[in-house]
Amino acid sequence: TEPVATPEASEAETLVRDYLAAIADEDSLTAWALLTPEAQSFYGGDPEVYASWFGRDGITTAAEAGLFADAEFTEGEGPEGAFTLVSAQTDSAADAWIVRETDGGLLLDDAGIPTTGGSLYEWQNPASGAEDSSESGALDPSQPATLFFASPASFDSDVPSSLGYPDTVWAYVDGTEVPAELGPASDAGRTFTVATDALPTDGEPHSLTIVWQIGTDSLGWRSTTTALLPSS
């Protein structure tokens, strides 16, 4: 379905804006209460551990929260209504947040990038790494947008991955679902691609988000967003 600008009364947008406001205020306890149990489990269920992650990769930082405070948001629905994806972009950055219905009501799946364990991921086109969309390079339009997942087997670690190692992902441009395909796979990892003909060509900034389910043992979802910036 086509995304729509979120109405003022949207519960999903309200939740995201409350979350961003808490992060901008460095109020980790309020932000913590807005996370799903699955997201909280990434931090061992400890709000003090979560507080120590403020400003680190994978979760929205105070600076990013300020960037998106006045942005216009769009909403898109996940597969079979599993979540609502709330997206935003500015002239230089983009992000998206997974809002999911839980036993405690609407909450956010938003967790960091572990420093140990397997199955890390990175955007290769645009070359923006894992999460730092504010430092995204321009998309090479001659190649599909590409997200690479490293195989857990390629890591010398006994720590299990909290990211998952998906064989299926969902892709969204500004909240509109677009096709994503499993590309070349090797012992090193898996590559997912979004064909260039599924991406906007109007020369304006857009957001591209890849979403995946962590695994069969978790209800949690994860996402990574890169800014699609016009080439200079």
Side-chain angles (χ1 to χ4, degrees):
T1 59
E2 290 292 315
V4 294
T6 57
E8 189 172 337
S10 162
E11 291 184 63
E13 179 184 352
T14 298
L15 179 66
V16 169
R17 289 196 181 277
D18 288 347
Y19 182 63
L20 294 178
I23 291 175
D25 291 341
E26 299 186 358
D27 181 357
S28 64
L29 285 178
T30 296
W32 172 260
L34 301 178
L35 297 178
T36 65
E38 289 74 25
Q40 291 179 346
S41 70
F42 177 86
Y43 308 98
D46 189 340
E48 292 186 3
V49 174
Y50 173 71
S52 72
W53 276 74
F54 264 44
R56 294 174 61 180
D57 282 344
I59 59 173
T60 307
T61 66
E64 290 166 342
L67 272 178
F68 297 115
D70 298 321
E72 182 175 296
F73 289 72
T74 57
E75 291 183 9
E77 188 174 288
E80 298 181 0
F83 58 81
T84 298
L85 186 72
V86 179
S87 303
Q89 68 276 332
T90 69
D91 290 341
S92 60
D95 210 340
W97 299 269
I98 295 171
V99 178
R100 188 161 53 82
E101 188 66 55
T102 72
D103 291 342
L106 286 180
L107 294 170
L108 285 151
D109 274 333
D110 194 27
I113 302 171
T115 56
T116 58
S119 186
L120 297 184
Y121 54 88
E122 65 173 355
W123 286 99
Q124 296 182 335
N125 184 34
S128 56
E131 292 290 344
D132 195 6
S133 62
S134 63
E135 297 297 327
S136 176
L139 176 76
D140 177 358
S142 68
Q143 301 292 330
T146 304
L147 180 68
F148 173 76
F149 284 83
S151 168
S154 67
F155 290 83
D156 184 18
S157 174
D158 294 328
V159 179
S161 173
S162 59
L163 302 177
Y165 187 51
D167 53 20
T168 302
V169 300
W170 289 262
Y172 300 84
V173 174
D174 303 341
T176 299
E177 185 174 355
V178 295
E181 296 182 358
L182 177 60
S186 67
D187 291 341
R190 295 171 176 162
T191 300
F192 290 93
T193 62
V194 177
T196 53
D197 61 8
L199 302 176
T201 57
D202 57 8
E204 298 296 323
H206 297 274
S207 63
L208 173 60
T209 300
I210 297 289
V211 183
W212 67 97
Q213 197 160 20
I214 294 173
T216 56
D217 296 333
S218 175
L219 297 174
W221 293 74
R222 292 193 67 112
S223 69
T224 178
T225 299
T226 188
L228 298 179
L229 302 177
S231 57
S232 56

